[in-house]
């Protein structure tokens, strides 16, 4: 009887500790979410800030790095520069480019001005159209009339809904000045409401309407692609918060799992013939296998740093840039025609070698 009483007491203590642990974990999550919400709110409500963004890809066939440095002012005024380095060592091709850019909102038209100096080598040197390094280009996109008001409202809603998207979260390395937040979100790349709004814009010119119609038709013809866009996906960030000013100063993420999963689903939604370079299903299957293996063996990362909140200077678009800017040349639909017996064979051999290492 005495043993039974001791056993009952031990079970009661264990149950109490479990309940306490669950309550503590739930409270810790609530506090962490609240902390992140406040830091996010202060960050997005800043009238201006300086930023640096690095997007990196490393893989068995190529390496690529994109670096952006500049300043931002609410709602969409930006100025800065971007560097791109691409090394396709499998076909002995490199591409380096330095781009200076400005962006602004004129009424409901978003305009981005840029000038690029490029240094292509190898096969990339023969790619057209050519970019004139002395020429400023401008790209324009019509936005809804109430874009700014809706943007502020949506941002606030996103901040309020942070808890709904958080799967896991915890804080660490906390001191008087900084704290790090490790958080995993689960949400779709594009939710259905935003997708429907994008496909039903009415204040577009004829060219823009045609592009939207083409995207809409593509999604209707390919339900797997639409499902891939709308499927909730997990993405984890390491976020650094300046506790003195309660703003986010750093955000890092390994995008590899997201890119690999999404890329695989997109590939499965495209037929062999559509993927084929030589318009034969066998070639399409080969291309699919190369892309899939490449994604699985590649690493994709993102590193964002923010500073100078409400103190950054954003350069407006110079008038001479506006006066001289022209539309950029149309992109090439196919960069050359790959030789199935050379380029693709080399790629397969490289992938097979990597897989066997």
């Amino acid at each position: 009887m005495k043993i039974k009483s001791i056993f009952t007491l031990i079970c009661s203590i264990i149950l109490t500790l479990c309940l306490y642990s669950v309550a503590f974990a739930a409270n810790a999550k609530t506090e962490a979410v609240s902390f992140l919400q406040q830091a996010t709110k202060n960050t997005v409500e800043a009238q201006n800030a300086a930023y640096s963004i690095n997007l990196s890809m490393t893989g068995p066939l190529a390496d690529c790095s994109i670096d952006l440095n500049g300043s931002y002012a609410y709602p969409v005024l930006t100025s800065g520069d971007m560097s791109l380095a691409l090394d396709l060592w499998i076909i002995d091709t490199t591409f380096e480019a330095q781009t200076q850019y400005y962006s602004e909102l004129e009424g409901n038209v978003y305009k981005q001005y840029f000038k690029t100096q490029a240094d292509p080598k190898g096969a990339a040197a023969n790619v057209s159209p050519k970019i004139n390094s002395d020429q400023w280009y401008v790209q324009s996109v019509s936005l809804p009339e109430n874009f700014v008001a809706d943007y502020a409202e949506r941002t606030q809603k996103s901040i309020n809904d942070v808890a709904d998207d958080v799967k896991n979260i915890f804080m660490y390395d906390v001191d008087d000045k900084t704290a790090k937040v490790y958080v995993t979100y689960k949400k779709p790349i594009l939710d259905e409401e935003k997708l429907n709004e994008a496909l039903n814009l009415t204040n577009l010119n004829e060219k823009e309407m045609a592009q939207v119609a083409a995207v809409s038709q593509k999604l209707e013809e390919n339900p797997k692609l639409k499902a891939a866009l709308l499927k909730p996906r997990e993405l984890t960030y390491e976020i650094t918060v300046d506790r003195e000013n309660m703003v986010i100063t750093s955000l890092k993420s390994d995008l590899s799992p997201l890119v690999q999963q999404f890329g695989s689903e997109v590939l499965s939604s495209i037929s062999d013939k559509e993927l084929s370079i030589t318009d034969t299903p066998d070639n399409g299957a080969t291309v699919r296998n190369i892309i899939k293996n490449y994604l699985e063996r590649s690493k994709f990362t993102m590193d964002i740093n923010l500073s100078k909140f409400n103190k950054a200077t954003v350069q407006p678009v110079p008038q001479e840039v506006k006066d001289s800017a022209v539309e950029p040349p149309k992109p090439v639909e196919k960069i050359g025609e790959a030789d199935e017996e050379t380029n693709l064979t080399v790629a397969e051999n490289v992938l097979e070698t990597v897989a066997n290492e």
Side-chain angles (χ1 to χ4, degrees):
M1 189 71 177
K2 186 176 181 180
I3 295 176
K4 184 177 180 180
S5 298
I6 294 174
F7 179 74
T8 302
L9 177 61
I10 293 174
C11 288
S12 298
I13 292 173
I14 293 174
L15 178 60
T16 301
L17 289 174
C18 288
L19 292 173
Y20 178 79
S21 298
V22 171
F24 178 79
N27 186 57
K29 179 179 179 180
T30 300
E31 290 183 357
V33 169
S34 178
F35 179 86
L36 183 57
Q37 282 179 314
Q38 186 60 54
T40 303
K41 183 176 186 296
N42 293 344
T43 302
V44 299
E45 288 183 351
Q47 291 303 298
N48 54 69
Y51 61 84
S52 66
I53 302 172
N54 171 260
L55 299 174
S56 174
M57 177 196 74
T58 57
L61 305 180
D63 295 331
C64 181
S65 180
I66 301 174
D67 291 280
L68 294 93
N69 294 279
S71 299
Y72 154 86
Y74 182 86
V76 291
L77 183 64
T78 59
S79 64
D81 58 80
M82 179 183 75
S83 62
L84 166 66
L86 174 63
D87 184 5
L88 291 165
W89 57 265
I90 187 175
I91 52 175
D92 192 25
T93 293
T94 62
F95 187 89
E96 295 180 359
Q98 295 288 333
T99 300
Q100 183 180 356
Y101 62 85
Y102 301 93
S103 66
E104 66 177 6
L105 191 63
E106 285 189 352
N108 69 316
V109 178
Y110 171 75
K111 293 184 176 182
Q112 185 173 65
Y113 298 83
F114 65 93
K115 182 169 71 171
T116 299
Q117 291 184 323
D119 182 23
K121 296 178 181 178
N126 299 319
V127 175
S128 62
K130 301 294 183 182
I131 297 293
N132 185 347
S133 61
D134 297 322
Q135 177 66 56
W136 279 96
Y137 297 97
V138 59
Q139 293 177 308
S140 301
V141 178
S142 298
L143 300 175
E145 295 287 351
N146 54 347
F147 170 79
V148 175
D150 283 351
Y151 174 79
E153 183 179 337
R154 287 172 187 245
T155 299
Q156 186 58 53
K157 185 177 184 302
S158 297
I159 295 171
N160 295 336
D161 293 344
V162 162
D164 296 334
D165 298 326
V166 171
K167 181 179 179 182
N168 296 305
I169 184 171
F170 64 89
M171 296 171 58
Y172 63 104
D173 285 353
V174 181
D175 56 34
D176 292 338
K177 293 185 177 180
T178 62
K180 289 188 177 181
V181 181
Y182 193 81
V183 57
T184 299
Y185 291 97
K186 188 172 184 179
K187 58 190 305 183
I189 293 176
L190 187 65
D191 64 51
E192 194 153 13
E193 180 182 354
K194 291 180 181 178
L195 177 60
N196 290 334
E197 287 182 1
L199 296 178
N200 288 282
L201 291 173
T202 57
N203 59 327
L204 304 177
N205 59 40
E206 184 177 346
K207 179 181 177 181
E208 293 166 341
M209 288 294 291
Q211 292 173 338
V212 170
V215 172
S216 178
Q217 182 178 355
K218 185 69 175 178
L219 292 176
E220 289 302 318
E221 294 174 350
N222 192 338
K224 286 186 178 181
L225 177 59
K226 184 175 181 179
L229 288 170
L230 301 178
K231 178 181 177 179
R233 301 178 187 279
E234 292 184 10
L235 185 58
T236 299
Y237 299 95
E238 179 190 86
I239 300 173
T240 302
V241 176
D242 174 357
R243 295 193 69 193
E244 293 181 314
N245 300 296
M246 279 301 290
V247 291
I248 296 172
T249 58
S250 174
L251 187 151
K252 299 180 180 180
S253 181
D254 180 0
L255 306 176
S256 305
L258 177 68
V259 172
Q260 290 161 1
Q261 183 188 59
F262 178 67
S264 178
E265 292 180 16
V266 171
L267 278 174
S268 69
S269 72
I270 305 174
S271 69
D272 288 343
K273 186 174 182 179
E274 288 177 302
L275 279 174
S276 174
I277 296 175
T278 58
D279 293 327
T280 62
D282 288 344
N283 177 253
T286 301
V287 172
R288 183 194 309 280
N289 188 55
I290 290 175
I291 296 174
K292 184 178 179 181
N293 279 277
Y294 179 76
L295 289 175
E296 291 175 350
R297 290 164 172 76
S298 298
K299 186 175 180 65
F300 304 84
T301 61
M302 176 178 67
D303 189 350
I304 300 174
N305 293 281
L306 303 170
S307 61
K308 297 183 180 179
F309 291 95
N310 298 316
K311 297 178 182 178
T313 301
V314 182
Q315 297 296 329
V317 186
Q319 189 59 47
E320 58 268 26
V321 171
K322 292 185 177 183
D323 294 340
S324 63
V326 298
E327 286 192 12
K330 294 181 180 180
V332 180
E333 292 186 2
K334 285 190 177 182
I335 302 178
E337 292 293 334
D339 188 323
E340 186 176 6
E341 295 183 358
T342 55
N343 292 356
L344 292 177
T345 302
V346 171
E348 287 180 303
N349 290 339
V350 171
L351 288 170
E352 184 178 353
T353 301
V354 171
N356 292 331
E357 289 181 350

